[in-house]
PDB file of all heavy atoms in Angstrom:
ATOM      1  N   THR B  67     134.629  27.389-101.041  1.00  0.00           N
ATOM      2  CA  THR B  67     135.369  28.170-102.035  1.00  0.00           C
ATOM      3  C   THR B  67     136.872  28.155-101.753  1.00  0.00           C
ATOM      4  O   THR B  67     137.662  28.336-102.676  1.00  0.00           O
ATOM      5  CB  THR B  67     134.856  29.608-102.094  1.00  0.00           C
ATOM      6  OG1 THR B  67     134.862  30.155-100.767  1.00  0.00           O
ATOM      7  CG2 THR B  67     133.444  29.671-102.646  1.00  0.00           C
ATOM      8  N   SER B  68     137.262  27.917-100.510  1.00  0.00           N
ATOM      9  CA  SER B  68     138.698  27.879-100.209  1.00  0.00           C
ATOM     10  C   SER B  68     139.345  26.641-100.817  1.00  0.00           C
ATOM     11  O   SER B  68     140.509  26.668-101.218  1.00  0.00           O
ATOM     12  CB  SER B  68     138.935  27.905 -98.698  1.00  0.00           C
ATOM     13  OG  SER B  68     138.446  26.729 -98.090  1.00  0.00           O
ATOM     14  N   LYS B  69     138.559  25.574-100.908  1.00  0.00           N
ATOM     15  CA  LYS B  69     139.063  24.336-101.507  1.00  0.00           C
ATOM     16  C   LYS B  69     138.618  24.178-102.956  1.00  0.00           C
ATOM     17  O   LYS B  69     138.972  23.202-103.606  1.00  0.00           O
ATOM     18  CB  LYS B  69     138.595  23.126-100.698  1.00  0.00           C
ATOM     19  CG  LYS B  69     139.160  23.062 -99.287  1.00  0.00           C
ATOM     20  CD  LYS B  69     138.666  21.827 -98.557  1.00  0.00           C
ATOM     21  CE  LYS B  69     139.252  21.777 -97.146  1.00  0.00           C
ATOM     22  NZ  LYS B  69     138.752  20.610 -96.368  1.00  0.00           N
ATOM     23  N   LYS B  70     137.812  25.140-103.416  1.00  0.00           N
ATOM     24  CA  LYS B  70     137.270  25.072-104.775  1.00  0.00           C
ATOM     25  C   LYS B  70     136.585  23.715-105.004  1.00  0.00           C
ATOM     26  O   LYS B  70     136.907  22.987-105.958  1.00  0.00           O
ATOM     27  CB  LYS B  70     138.358  25.321-105.821  1.00  0.00           C
ATOM     28  CG  LYS B  70     138.910  26.747-105.781  1.00  0.00           C
ATOM     29  CD  LYS B  70     139.858  27.022-106.916  1.00  0.00           C
ATOM     30  CE  LYS B  70     140.243  28.476-106.976  1.00  0.00           C
ATOM     31  NZ  LYS B  70     140.842  29.011-105.742  1.00  0.00           N
ATOM     32  N   SER B  71     135.671  23.425-104.104  1.00  0.00           N
ATOM     33  CA  SER B  71     134.971  22.152-104.224  1.00  0.00           C
ATOM     34  C   SER B  71     133.527  22.284-103.776  1.00  0.00           C
ATOM     35  O   SER B  71     133.174  23.192-102.999  1.00  0.00           O
ATOM     36  CB  SER B  71     135.683  21.071-103.394  1.00  0.00           C
ATOM     37  OG  SER B  71     135.581  21.384-102.029  1.00  0.00           O
ATOM     38  N   SER B  72     132.719  21.361-104.253  1.00  0.00           N
ATOM     39  CA  SER B  72     131.308  21.312-103.892  1.00  0.00           C
ATOM     40  C   SER B  72     130.907  19.849-103.781  1.00  0.00           C
ATOM     41  O   SER B  72     131.561  18.970-104.358  1.00  0.00           O
ATOM     42  CB  SER B  72     130.466  22.007-104.968  1.00  0.00           C
ATOM     43  OG  SER B  72     129.087  21.869-104.713  1.00  0.00           O
ATOM     44  N   SER B  73     129.854  19.594-103.034  1.00  0.00           N
ATOM     45  CA  SER B  73     129.324  18.248-102.976  1.00  0.00           C
ATOM     46  C   SER B  73     127.811  18.289-103.086  1.00  0.00           C
ATOM     47  O   SER B  73     127.166  19.270-102.689  1.00  0.00           O
ATOM     48  CB  SER B  73     129.733  17.551-101.672  1.00  0.00           C
ATOM     49  OG  SER B  73     129.082  18.154-100.582  1.00  0.00           O
ATOM     50  N   LEU B  74     127.277  17.229-103.653  1.00  0.00           N
ATOM     51  CA  LEU B  74     125.830  17.057-103.767  1.00  0.00           C
ATOM     52  C   LEU B  74     125.463  15.774-103.042  1.00  0.00           C
ATOM     53  O   LEU B  74     125.987  14.704-103.359  1.00  0.00           O
ATOM     54  CB  LEU B  74     125.409  16.962-105.238  1.00  0.00           C
ATOM     55  CG  LEU B  74     123.948  16.562-105.504  1.00  0.00           C
ATOM     56  CD1 LEU B  74     122.987  17.654-105.027  1.00  0.00           C
ATOM     57  CD2 LEU B  74     123.714  16.298-107.000  1.00  0.00           C
ATOM     58  N   LEU B  75     124.576  15.897-102.072  1.00  0.00           N
ATOM     59  CA  LEU B  75     124.095  14.736-101.325  1.00  0.00           C
ATOM     60  C   LEU B  75     122.632  14.519-101.658  1.00  0.00           C
ATOM     61  O   LEU B  75     121.831  15.451-101.566  1.00  0.00           O
ATOM     62  CB  LEU B  75     124.258  14.966 -99.815  1.00  0.00           C
ATOM     63  CG  LEU B  75     123.550  13.963 -98.892  1.00  0.00           C
ATOM     64  CD1 LEU B  75     124.193  12.586 -98.996  1.00  0.00           C
ATOM     65  CD2 LEU B  75     123.568  14.457 -97.442  1.00  0.00           C
ATOM     66  N   ILE B  76     122.308  13.302-102.051  1.00  0.00           N
ATOM     67  CA  ILE B  76     120.915  12.920-102.264  1.00  0.00           C
ATOM     68  C   ILE B  76     120.560  11.936-101.162  1.00  0.00           C
ATOM     69  O   ILE B  76     121.172  10.869-101.037  1.00  0.00           O
ATOM     70  CB  ILE B  76     120.706  12.246-103.634  1.00  0.00           C
ATOM     71  CG1 ILE B  76     121.193  13.153-104.763  1.00  0.00           C
ATOM     72  CG2 ILE B  76     119.232  11.902-103.838  1.00  0.00           C
ATOM     73  CD1 ILE B  76     121.146  12.502-106.136  1.00  0.00           C
ATOM     74  N   THR B  77     119.604  12.298-100.336  1.00  0.00           N
ATOM     75  CA  THR B  77     119.230  11.406 -99.238  1.00  0.00           C
ATOM     76  C   THR B  77     118.071  10.500 -99.662  1.00  0.00           C
ATOM     77  O   THR B  77     117.277  10.842-100.539  1.00  0.00           O
ATOM     78  CB  THR B  77     118.810  12.217 -98.007  1.00  0.00           C
ATOM     79  OG1 THR B  77     117.695  13.052 -98.366  1.00  0.00           O
ATOM     80  CG2 THR B  77     119.948  13.084 -97.513  1.00  0.00           C
ATOM     81  N   ALA B  78     118.014   9.330 -99.021  1.00  0.00           N
ATOM     82  CA  ALA B  78     116.926   8.374 -99.263  1.00  0.00           C
ATOM     83  C   ALA B  78     116.676   8.202-100.760  1.00  0.00           C
ATOM     84  O   ALA B  78     115.586   8.472-101.265  1.00  0.00           O
ATOM     85  CB  ALA B  78     115.655   8.837 -98.559  1.00  0.00           C
ATOM     86  N   SER B  79     117.699   7.739-101.462  1.00  0.00           N
ATOM     87  CA  SER B  79     117.636   7.693-102.916  1.00  0.00           C
ATOM     88  C   SER B  79     116.510   6.789-103.418  1.00  0.00           C
ATOM     89  O   SER B  79     116.088   5.845-102.747  1.00  0.00           O
ATOM     90  CB  SER B  79     118.975   7.213-103.472  1.00  0.00           C
ATOM     91  OG  SER B  79     119.236   5.899-103.031  1.00  0.00           O
ATOM     92  N   ARG B  80     116.065   7.110-104.624  1.00  0.00           N
ATOM     93  CA  ARG B  80     115.004   6.338-105.291  1.00  0.00           C
ATOM     94  C   ARG B  80     115.510   5.898-106.666  1.00  0.00           C
ATOM     95  O   ARG B  80     116.436   6.506-107.206  1.00  0.00           O
ATOM     96  CB  ARG B  80     113.764   7.213-105.474  1.00  0.00           C
ATOM     97  CG  ARG B  80     113.238   7.832-104.190  1.00  0.00           C
ATOM     98  CD  ARG B  80     112.217   8.908-104.479  1.00  0.00           C
ATOM     99  NE  ARG B  80     111.740   9.545-103.255  1.00  0.00           N
ATOM    100  CZ  ARG B  80     111.018  10.657-103.227  1.00  0.00           C
ATOM    101  NH1 ARG B  80     110.685  11.259-104.358  1.00  0.00           N
ATOM    102  NH2 ARG B  80     110.626  11.165-102.078  1.00  0.00           N
ATOM    103  N   ALA B  81     114.879   4.895-107.208  1.00  0.00           N
ATOM    104  CA  ALA B  81     115.268   4.422-108.540  1.00  0.00           C
ATOM    105  C   ALA B  81     115.195   5.554-109.563  1.00  0.00           C
ATOM    106  O   ALA B  81     116.000   5.631-110.492  1.00  0.00           O
ATOM    107  CB  ALA B  81     114.386   3.249-108.962  1.00  0.00           C
ATOM    108  N   ALA B  82     114.241   6.471-109.367  1.00  0.00           N
ATOM    109  CA  ALA B  82     114.084   7.588-110.300  1.00  0.00           C
ATOM    110  C   ALA B  82     115.239   8.578-110.239  1.00  0.00           C
ATOM    111  O   ALA B  82     115.360   9.452-111.111  1.00  0.00           O
ATOM    112  CB  ALA B  82     112.767   8.318-110.016  1.00  0.00           C
ATOM    113  N   ASP B  83     116.103   8.464-109.227  1.00  0.00           N
ATOM    114  CA  ASP B  83     117.276   9.343-109.152  1.00  0.00           C
ATOM    115  C   ASP B  83     118.391   8.868-110.067  1.00  0.00           C
ATOM    116  O   ASP B  83     119.409   9.560-110.223  1.00  0.00           O
ATOM    117  CB  ASP B  83     117.810   9.396-107.709  1.00  0.00           C
ATOM    118  CG  ASP B  83     116.826  10.029-106.745  1.00  0.00           C
ATOM    119  OD1 ASP B  83     116.064  10.942-107.179  1.00  0.00           O
ATOM    120  OD2 ASP B  83     116.794   9.617-105.572  1.00  0.00           O
ATOM    121  N   THR B  84     118.232   7.695-110.654  1.00  0.00           N
ATOM    122  CA  THR B  84     119.236   7.180-111.592  1.00  0.00           C
ATOM    123  C   THR B  84     119.398   8.161-112.744  1.00  0.00           C
ATOM    124  O   THR B  84     118.442   8.465-113.461  1.00  0.00           O
ATOM    125  CB  THR B  84     118.808   5.796-112.125  1.00  0.00           C
ATOM    126  OG1 THR B  84     118.810   4.865-111.039  1.00  0.00           O
ATOM    127  CG2 THR B  84     119.751   5.317-113.219  1.00  0.00           C
ATOM    128  N   ALA B  85     120.610   8.681-112.897  1.00  0.00           N
ATOM    129  CA  ALA B  85     120.870   9.724-113.887  1.00  0.00           C
ATOM    130  C   ALA B  85     122.351  10.084-113.837  1.00  0.00           C
ATOM    131  O   ALA B  85     123.092   9.600-112.986  1.00  0.00           O
ATOM    132  CB  ALA B  85     120.031  10.966-113.580  1.00  0.00           C
ATOM    133  N   SER B  86     122.748  10.968-114.729  1.00  0.00           N
ATOM    134  CA  SER B  86     124.085  11.571-114.657  1.00  0.00           C
ATOM    135  C   SER B  86     123.952  12.942-114.033  1.00  0.00           C
ATOM    136  O   SER B  86     123.020  13.689-114.364  1.00  0.00           O
ATOM    137  CB  SER B  86     124.703  11.681-116.049  1.00  0.00           C
ATOM    138  OG  SER B  86     125.036  10.406-116.549  1.00  0.00           O
ATOM    139  N   TYR B  87     124.881  13.281-113.150  1.00  0.00           N
ATOM    140  CA  TYR B  87     124.829  14.539-112.428  1.00  0.00           C
ATOM    141  C   TYR B  87     126.061  15.375-112.788  1.00  0.00           C
ATOM    142  O   TYR B  87     127.189  14.874-112.794  1.00  0.00           O
ATOM    143  CB  TYR B  87     124.774  14.287-110.918  1.00  0.00           C
ATOM    144  CG  TYR B  87     123.461  13.671-110.498  1.00  0.00           C
ATOM    145  CD1 TYR B  87     123.223  12.302-110.654  1.00  0.00           C
ATOM    146  CD2 TYR B  87     122.438  14.460-109.978  1.00  0.00           C
ATOM    147  CE1 TYR B  87     122.021  11.736-110.313  1.00  0.00           C
ATOM    148  CE2 TYR B  87     121.221  13.891-109.616  1.00  0.00           C
ATOM    149  CZ  TYR B  87     121.017  12.537-109.789  1.00  0.00           C
ATOM    150  OH  TYR B  87     119.807  11.985-109.446  1.00  0.00           O
ATOM    151  N   PHE B  88     125.825  16.654-113.075  1.00  0.00           N
ATOM    152  CA  PHE B  88     126.889  17.543-113.521  1.00  0.00           C
ATOM    153  C   PHE B  88     126.954  18.772-112.624  1.00  0.00           C
ATOM    154  O   PHE B  88     125.917  19.336-112.267  1.00  0.00           O
ATOM    155  CB  PHE B  88     126.620  18.026-114.954  1.00  0.00           C
ATOM    156  CG  PHE B  88     126.490  16.926-115.967  1.00  0.00           C
ATOM    157  CD1 PHE B  88     125.244  16.371-116.247  1.00  0.00           C
ATOM    158  CD2 PHE B  88     127.602  16.447-116.638  1.00  0.00           C
ATOM    159  CE1 PHE B  88     125.111  15.358-117.185  1.00  0.00           C
ATOM    160  CE2 PHE B  88     127.471  15.433-117.580  1.00  0.00           C
ATOM    161  CZ  PHE B  88     126.234  14.888-117.844  1.00  0.00           C
ATOM    162  N   CYS B  89     128.162  19.180-112.294  1.00  0.00           N
ATOM    163  CA  CYS B  89     128.326  20.463-111.603  1.00  0.00           C
ATOM    164  C   CYS B  89     128.840  21.470-112.620  1.00  0.00           C
ATOM    165  O   CYS B  89     129.635  21.143-113.500  1.00  0.00           O
ATOM    166  CB  CYS B  89     129.274  20.351-110.415  1.00  0.00           C
ATOM    167  SG  CYS B  89     131.014  20.135-110.833  1.00  0.00           S
ATOM    168  N   VAL B  90     128.364  22.695-112.523  1.00  0.00           N
ATOM    169  CA  VAL B  90     128.718  23.733-113.490  1.00  0.00           C
ATOM    170  C   VAL B  90     129.118  24.990-112.737  1.00  0.00           C
ATOM    171  O   VAL B  90     128.263  25.743-112.269  1.00  0.00           O
ATOM    172  CB  VAL B  90     127.538  24.030-114.431  1.00  0.00           C
ATOM    173  CG1 VAL B  90     127.945  25.049-115.488  1.00  0.00           C
ATOM    174  CG2 VAL B  90     127.048  22.755-115.097  1.00  0.00           C
ATOM    175  N   PRO B  91     130.420  25.231-112.605  1.00  0.00           N
ATOM    176  CA  PRO B  91     130.864  26.465-111.954  1.00  0.00           C
ATOM    177  C   PRO B  91     130.671  27.647-112.892  1.00  0.00           C
ATOM    178  O   PRO B  91     130.926  27.531-114.086  1.00  0.00           O
ATOM    179  CB  PRO B  91     132.353  26.217-111.681  1.00  0.00           C
ATOM    180  CG  PRO B  91     132.740  25.030-112.485  1.00  0.00           C
ATOM    181  CD  PRO B  91     131.521  24.378-113.025  1.00  0.00           C
TER     182      PRO B  91
END
Side-chain angles (χ1 to χ4, degrees):
Chain B
T67 53
S68 66
K69 295 181 180 178
K70 294 187 172 57
S71 66
S72 174
S73 69
L74 171 67
L75 168 68
I76 304 174
T77 59
S79 63
R80 305 168 182 168
D83 295 328
T84 294
S86 290
Y87 291 80
F88 302 91
C89 71
V90 183

